[in-house]
Amino acid sequence: MLPYLPSQKLTNMDKSAKSYGKLLAYRKRHDTETSAELSIPSQGYDFTHQKRITAQRSAQVEAERDYRGARTLGIVALCFAIVSWFLWPVLLGATSAAIGYMAYRQGSGSLGVWAISLGFIAMVTHLAVIPLYFAFS
C-alpha cells in the first residue's frame, strides 16, 4: 500500500480498519517529524546564545592579539627610523618606511605614520645634504 499523501483522498477500499490504522500511524509519524524539524529546541536556544558569546570573546582576543602584533611592528619601525638618522639613512629610512606602512595597515596608525615620516625625512635629508656637503667643501 502506498503512503498517504495529503492530496490523496481515501477510497472505500482504503477505509478498512487495518489500512486506515496504517495511514493514521504514517500521518502521525510524519506530522511528528515535521513538528520536530520546525520547532525551536528549548535547550538549543541557550546553547546558541552561549556559542555566540564564546565567538564574540574569541574575536575580541584575536583582535587584541592582532593589535599587539601591529603595535610591536610599529615600535620596530620607529626604532629603525630613529637609528636611520645616525646610521645608513637611505637603507634604514626605506626599511622603516616599509615596516611603518605594514604597521599602519595592520592597525597601528600613529606608530606607522611616525615611522614613515621619520624614515622619509632621514632619506631626503641625507640625499639632499650629502651632495651639498661635497659641492661646497
Side-chain angles (χ1 to χ4, degrees):
M1 182 173 128
L2 295 173
Y4 172 75
L5 298 175
S7 61
Q8 292 178 341
K9 292 188 176 182
L10 293 176
T11 61
N12 288 336
M13 291 176 43
D14 292 331
K15 289 187 179 180
S16 67
K18 189 174 183 182
S19 299
Y20 192 69
K22 287 181 181 179
L23 288 174
L24 287 179
Y26 176 79
R27 286 184 67 195
K28 184 177 180 181
R29 185 175 45 128
H30 182 71
D31 289 342
T32 303
E33 289 176 6
T34 303
S35 65
E37 291 171 358
L38 295 177
S39 67
I40 298 173
S42 61
Q43 292 178 352
Y45 186 75
D46 293 335
F47 176 73
T48 306
H49 181 68
Q50 290 294 334
K51 192 174 182 181
R52 187 179 313 121
I53 289 173
T54 305
Q56 288 173 350
R57 287 181 185 160
S58 65
Q60 289 172 351
V61 168
E62 190 68 29
E64 181 66 28
R65 187 179 308 143
D66 289 344
Y67 177 71
R68 284 189 214 151
R71 186 169 179 231
T72 303
L73 197 61
I75 291 171
V76 169
L78 192 60
C79 290
F80 272 99
I82 291 170
V83 171
S84 74
W85 281 81
F86 305 106
L87 180 70
W88 301 326
V90 176
L91 180 66
L92 290 178
T95 304
S96 70
I99 296 173
Y101 178 72
M102 289 191 301
Y104 178 78
R105 292 284 296 185
Q106 289 182 4
S108 182
S110 61
L111 286 172
V113 168
W114 274 101
I116 292 169
S117 302
L118 290 176
F120 276 138
I121 290 171
M123 281 183 4
V124 170
T125 304
H126 178 74
L127 293 175
V129 170
I130 294 298
L132 291 175
Y133 175 76
F134 286 114
F136 294 112
S137 61

